[in-house]
Amino acid sequence: QVQLVESGGGLVQPGGSLKLSCVASGDSIFAVKAYRSMSWYRQIPGKQRELVGGFFGGAAEYGESVKDRFSVSRDGARNTMYLQMNNLRPEDTAVYFCNFIAGNGAEYWGRGTQVTVSA
């Protein structure tokens, strides 16, 4: 069974950067060519889970609030997906989740990693 584990979260000051990692176990999902999506979501306190960015069959796509600040990438050899976050703002404070949907529709979520942006 596929398992996703996020890491790299923590406390950072506004304007700082963090790089999150999502390591997959059980299958080499981040090395496959065919997939429905691989992406990062976040849940801001008091709000619904929202898309941060990811791949949906083409070039990477991002939510408007993080466009030009965040970047999603993957390393198939390490079976890992990354989220590089730059110029962090207090409103970026959230639990960040890794998500993968296979071509057959099977969906996997990590348990999340906390990112807190505060002075």
Side-chain angles (χ1 to χ4, degrees), residues 17-89:
S17 298
L18 281 176
K19 188 173 184 178
L20 306 183
S21 298
C22 174
V23 178
S25 301
D27 204 356
S28 300
I29 61 172
F30 295 131
V32 301
K33 293 182 178 181
Y35 59 91
R36 185 174 298 179
S37 67
M38 52 179 73
S39 60
W40 289 89
Y41 285 75
R42 69 184 182 187
Q43 188 159 19
I44 296 171
K47 298 183 178 180
Q48 295 187 90
R49 189 173 299 186
E50 65 181 38
L51 174 69
V52 176
F55 298 98
F56 304 89
E61 301 177 15
Y62 301 93
E64 291 188 12
S65 64
V66 306
K67 187 178 181 181
D68 299 324
R69 297 190 297 123
F70 292 9
S71 180
V72 177
S73 62
R74 62 169 171 169
D75 186 334
R78 296 183 177 182
N79 205 17
T80 302
M81 182 172 65
Y82 303 96
L83 177 66
Q84 178 66 52
M85 304 184 293
N86 301 317
N87 301 315
L88 284 161
R89 305 165 180 170

